[in-house]
Amino acid sequence: MITRKALTLADVQAIAAGAEAEAIKNDWKVSIAITDDGGHLLHFQRLDGAPTQSTYISQGKAKAAAFSRKPTKALEDIVGGGRNAFLSVPDMVLLEGGEPIIVDGVCIGGVGVSGVKSSDDAIIARAGIAKLGA
């Protein structure tokens, strides 16, 4: 048997609070999604004024980061580099703003943010993950 780490409710709440604080600090109106390593939604919040489509996009970014075990910017770059077949991967949003949650070299989940410029979405996601203390 393999023993592996997993996100607890307290972990998820810390990540969400850190991401929310970063968004509010910058007056960024976003949606924030957190998944486990299988891409299953553990937390979702849509800040006041966040675009409607950000609800779907943030969840897709979180799932993509968890599944791929890499930032979604890397996936966006794969497609941007001409590998259009990668667009056929189902249920994932291949835009910057999704970050994997890596602990001891293992991906235990993903954070996806949507609502502002993609590079700023990624800043929010990383700020949340930083609160995990991993």
Side-chain angles (χ1 to χ4, degrees), residues 17-95:
E20 179 182 3
E22 184 69 21
I24 290 171
K25 176 180 85 174
N26 292 290
D27 195 32
W28 291 335
K29 296 159 179 41
V30 298
S31 290
I32 301 163
I34 303 170
T35 68
D36 65 12
D37 61 333
H40 303 99
L41 190 63
L42 298 175
H43 174 86
F44 175 78
Q45 68 189 91
R46 180 176 166 203
L47 301 182
D48 292 341
T52 304
Q53 71 273 17
S54 69
T55 60
Y56 173 80
I57 296 170
S58 62
Q59 292 176 53
K61 287 179 180 183
K63 183 183 282 190
F67 280 175
S68 69
R69 279 56 174 154
K70 59 182 76 169
T72 54
K73 172 71 168 115
L75 306 176
E76 181 179 3
D77 290 345
I78 289 170
V79 174
R83 187 140 187 240
N84 295 329
F86 205 76
L87 292 170
S88 66
V89 177
D91 298 326
M92 295 197 300
V93 175
L94 308 178
L95 300 171

Side-chain angles (χ1 to χ4, degrees), residues 6 35 60 64-65 76 81-82 97 101 108 110-111 127:
T35 68
E76 181 179 3
I101 304 167
I108 62 169
V111 178

